[in-house]
Structures are given as C-alpha cells and as structure tokens.
Amino acid sequence: MTVSIFYNIPSPSSSSLSSFSCSSSRFLSIASSSIPFSNPKKPIQLSLSHTSASLSDMDVISSPGLYPLHRCKTLHLVRHAQGVHNVEGEKDHAAYLSESLFDAHLTPLGWQQVDHLRKHIHETGLSKKIELVIVSPLLRTMQTAVGVFGSEGYKDGIDVPPLMVENAGESNRPAISSLNCPPFVAVELCREHLGVHPCDRRKSISEYRLVFPAIDFSLIASDEDNLWEANSREKNEEVAVRGIKFLNWLWTRKEREIAIVTHSGFLYHTLSVFGNDCHPSVKSEICTHFANCELRSVVIVDRSMMGSDPATTNYPGKIPSGLDLPSDVADEKLSNDGEGK
C-alpha cells in the first residue's frame, strides 16, 4: 500500500530563503511502502452517513492531498556510499581538514553498499522507471551513481563510452557500461557544503571526463573548482537556499522520475525546509540525516505553473459527443432559474 502526504513549503523567515518566489508554492510528499495496521488481514469498514460537519471543520494536516499528476515529479534521493573521509572523520573530526582526503573516494565497504543498493533497485523494478540520474560532481557521488544506476561491466568493442573506466578513483572495479542506461548529468547545485574541507573540493572537469566518459558535464561552467574556498565554509542556510534553487531547476527538465545522488549535508538542510505543517512523525521522516547509500523516494509538486509539460494520461472524454449534464449541475441550474423568475 502506498500513502502520499502532501504539505506546503513554509515561507522561510530568512530574507535569503524568502527571495525565492516559489518557496511557498511547492509540496513535497513521501511514499511509504509499508504502513502497519492493527489487523492487516481484516479489511477496514467504511460507512457513509449524513453529517452536519463542514469542510472548515476538517483538519488540514490529516486530510489527503490531491494534485494533477503532470504537475508532479518523483525524486529518488540517494546519499553516496561510505567514503574514506567518513571513516577518518568519525575517528577524528580534525581529519576533515586533511588534504589527504581531497575529493574522497569510496571505501571497499562503500562499494559493497553500492552493490546492495543496486540489487534493491533491480529487485523492486525501480531501475526500469528512472529517466535521468543527476549527480554531484565529486568522486564519491559519481562512483556511487554509476555503480548503482549504471549497466553491467563494460566490454571493448561496444560503440558507447563507459560510465566509469576501470579502477577509477582507486576503486579496483572493472569499467561500467552506459549501455541501456538513463542519461547521467553532473550538477554543481547539489554539491556538499562548500569550503574548508578538502574532501568536498572537486578535481577539474577535464580530469573527470577521462574517468567518467559517459557522464554529461556540460552544465558545469568552470573546469576548475571556483566554488570551494579554503577559509570559508558555506552556512547551513546557504545550503538550504541552494537546495531550493536546485528543486526549482528540476522543473526545467522534462523527465518525471529522477534519481539524485548527492550528500548528507545537502539533503538534510534542503529537506529541513519542508514538513513544518505536517504530523511530527512525517517531519522527522523527512528531516533526518541519510545513512551512507540510503535511498528515499519523494514526490514534489508544482503549484506555481513553473513546469509546462502537458498531461499525457488525461483524456478529454465526450468522444463521440453526446448529452452529459450531471444531475447535481442540473439541480443547481434549475434552482438558479427558479430564483431568477
């Protein structure tokens, strides 16, 4: 059973967050695949009776949400698998300042996590639904993205470039094919906190293109990492602002079902903008830190008409044309005609 809960993005009190005109015109929904019931074998009985209650008496938070399907996108959010910086940083937080962790790669355990998530998306059929993979342009996120959502091992002679070459980033892994895969696009907006920590500084795009030939880096303006500063760490609020900008940008894409492979801090601070007007358990479901290689699926809704994609499943009806006046409309019309006499 799948339950979707929709809620508004609150208008943030911060001037920087409120500068985004659509910050109050989004919904986010979380899909849950296992809802516990006291007796799952016994069907729930629904009764219909006359009531004096009005719509104004209803609890908005507990009411279901409804929105046109073509105004929605499904996002499959993934935090990268374990990187060497996660291991060293948990032992000693000061290690995050070490240049030896520059653009950290995955650990052997991280690659095992990738394999398990890859198995999950194939077993659930999710791999066949995803139309686009967006990835933060750092080594650990790109390794995770291609390992989870890429094709089988690459073979010479295939007339498509590999997603990843053999042993990229000390992976000790064979090359990964891009055959029969969705497109992979690198986007700077979904990077981790910028600045200070060398593990969050990227290599040049020209270097990445050599090891990830089938990833599209065309949306990245600068070959060198001009966003990372050695002495200035991006504030949490600034990450949230960047996250909302990223979500707004998604509406320029035609794809409806998108995987996003990114970072803990980016996910946490972006998603913390949501859920303030819903049940606390739903808020906590959204606004908890992701584990390494965790996947959560959410739905975003466009209320501000930023998207322009037409509905593909709607059908206009009345073909062939015929009389179809609904009884309630007829009653209202008769009532109005009587009042006009």
Side-chain angles (χ1 to χ4, degrees):
M1 178 175 182
T2 299
V3 175
S4 293
I5 305 168
F6 293 83
Y7 34 92
N8 289 304
I9 294 181
S11 298
S13 57
S14 162
S15 59
S16 58
L17 275 173
S18 61
S19 65
F20 288 96
S21 61
C22 60
S23 62
S24 60
S25 59
R26 281 284 178 282
F27 287 90
L28 181 72
S29 146
I30 294 247
S32 174
S33 58
S34 56
I35 307 299
F37 295 102
S38 57
N39 186 355
K41 294 183 180 180
K42 183 178 181 181
I44 298 174
Q45 300 298 317
L46 298 178
S47 62
L48 179 64
S49 60
H50 292 288
T51 176
S52 60
S54 66
L55 285 174
S56 60
D57 297 328
M58 296 179 67
D59 184 351
V60 174
I61 290 178
S62 62
S63 300
L66 185 70
Y67 217 76
L69 181 61
H70 70 286
R71 297 291 174 190
C72 306
K73 288 183 187 288
T74 301
L75 308 182
H76 303 286
L77 307 174
V78 179
R79 181 192 174 193
H80 63 79
Q82 186 192 70
V84 292
H85 65 304
N86 296 133
V87 176
E88 298 305 318
E90 190 159 337
K91 294 176 182 176
D92 178 9
H93 188 268
Y96 284 117
L97 301 176
S98 173
E99 276 294 327
S100 66
L101 298 178
F102 164 54
D103 195 17
H105 58 79
L106 297 187
T107 65
L109 177 64
W111 278 107
Q112 291 180 39
Q113 294 170 343
V114 166
D115 292 337
H116 281 275
L117 180 54
R118 177 184 177 82
K119 179 181 178 182
H120 169 77
I121 67 162
H122 282 276
E123 288 178 345
T124 58
L126 182 58
S127 59
K128 297 179 180 178
K129 298 178 181 179
I130 292 171
E131 303 169 66
L132 173 69
V133 179
I134 294 174
V135 60
S136 164
L138 287 171
L139 180 57
R140 60 188 181 270
T141 41
M142 290 188 288
Q143 287 179 321
T144 302
V146 301
V148 172
F149 299 105
S151 189
E152 299 298 331
Y154 180 80
K155 296 180 180 179
D156 291 335
I158 298 177
D159 192 24
V160 291
L163 279 167
M164 186 182 83
V165 300
E166 183 179 3
N167 198 34
E170 301 180 38
S171 65
N172 195 29
R173 286 269 170 148
I176 296 174
S177 174
S178 62
L179 193 64
N180 300 320
C181 291
F184 284 65
V185 179
V187 176
E188 297 255 49
L189 279 173
C190 62
R191 283 179 60 175
E192 184 57 291
H193 274 90
L194 297 167
V196 180
H197 295 174
C199 59
D200 299 326
R201 188 171 82 246
R202 68 167 172 82
K203 297 182 179 69
S204 69
I205 298 303
S206 56
E207 289 178 83
Y208 284 149
R209 282 196 170 107
L210 296 176
V211 290
F212 299 100
I215 293 182
D216 181 359
F217 295 98
S218 63
L219 296 181
I220 298 178
S222 173
D223 186 53
E224 299 298 328
D225 189 355
N226 296 329
L227 299 175
W228 189 91
E229 297 179 7
N231 300 314
S232 177
R233 183 75 169 167
E234 194 175 20
K235 296 181 176 64
N236 293 343
E237 182 191 62
E238 292 172 329
V239 176
V241 170
R242 178 158 56 84
I244 298 301
K245 187 177 180 181
F246 172 74
L247 293 178
N248 291 343
W249 170 80
L250 287 177
W251 290 106
T252 68
R253 301 291 311 194
K254 65 180 181 180
E255 297 86 2
R256 314 307 303 174
E257 194 139 355
I258 302 171
I260 299 163
V261 184
T262 178
H263 307 266
S264 174
F266 175 81
L267 288 166
Y268 179 77
H269 295 296
T270 299
L271 296 180
S272 291
V273 177
F274 298 85
N276 293 321
D277 58 348
C278 65
H279 192 279
S281 64
V282 178
K283 173 70 175 178
S284 64
E285 184 179 355
I286 301 164
C287 304
T288 55
H289 285 283
F290 278 58
N292 281 131
C293 223
E294 180 179 352
L295 163 68
R296 296 182 203 168
S297 298
V298 301
V299 175
I300 58 171
V301 177
D302 176 22
R303 293 197 306 158
S304 62
M305 300 291 288
M306 287 186 66
S308 59
D309 293 341
T312 58
T313 57
N314 290 1
Y315 185 73
K318 208 171 181 178
I319 300 173
S321 180
L323 299 177
D324 67 347
L325 184 67
S327 60
D328 55 336
V329 177
D331 291 343
E332 183 179 349
K333 182 179 179 182
L334 181 62
S335 176
N336 291 338
D337 289 345
E339 292 176 359
K341 293 181 179 179

